[in-house]
Amino acid sequence: MATAPCALCRDDGGLPLWRGAGWRVVRALGEEVAAAPAWYRVICADHVAEWSDLDAAAQARAMAIVTALERALRAALAPTKVNLASLGNVVPHLHWHVVARFDWDSRFPAPVWAPPQRGDDPLRLAALRAQLPACDAAIVQALTPLLS
């Protein structure tokens, strides 16, 4: 019986914003990110499972992309904190989660994957979602110098 293809090889993994040599950046979509809509992923174009599978140049490029994305999020949204994570337990394809967090979000200060500590704030979530198109554009602008 053949195994199903990797989800991040098969699909973009979110709303595609930017593609450069070896990497893509997407904004995560769906129920998983409903309480943290400013959730982005930096995804390796090649199917590799571990950070140590990359050579030093690919690692440096990945960190340059993650750093530019984090800076763009901070400038556009002024979050309380930006969370960075690379787990790969569920999807063993190298990718980084870059998530803008706010002290009012239902899981803060716990990780985004933790159970909620309080109810969602619908007004603040709606205001944040309204900012995402401009934030996406700022991210693209920040990443454009990294195209080559």
Side-chain angles (χ1 to χ4, degrees), residues 3 6 8 13 22-23 28 35 39 55 59 61 64 70 78 83 88-89 94 102-103 109 120 122 134 136 138:
T3 59
C6 167
L8 293 179
W23 298 92
W39 187 322
D55 63 25
Q59 290 176 349
R61 182 162 174 73
E70 179 185 305
N83 290 174
N89 297 336
L94 187 60
F102 300 87
D103 58 8
D120 287 330
D136 293 349

Side-chain angles (χ1 to χ4, degrees), residues 38-88:
W39 187 322
Y40 294 81
R41 294 186 183 109
V42 176
I43 303 168
C44 188
D46 295 327
H47 182 79
V48 296
E50 304 299 344
W51 181 249
S52 59
D53 291 338
L54 300 178
D55 63 25
Q59 290 176 349
R61 182 162 174 73
M63 285 299 96
I65 294 166
V66 168
T67 300
L69 174 54
E70 179 185 305
R71 285 182 177 145
L73 283 175
R74 291 177 69 199
L77 302 176
T80 306
K81 183 74 176 93
V82 177
N83 290 174
L84 305 176
S86 181
L87 305 172

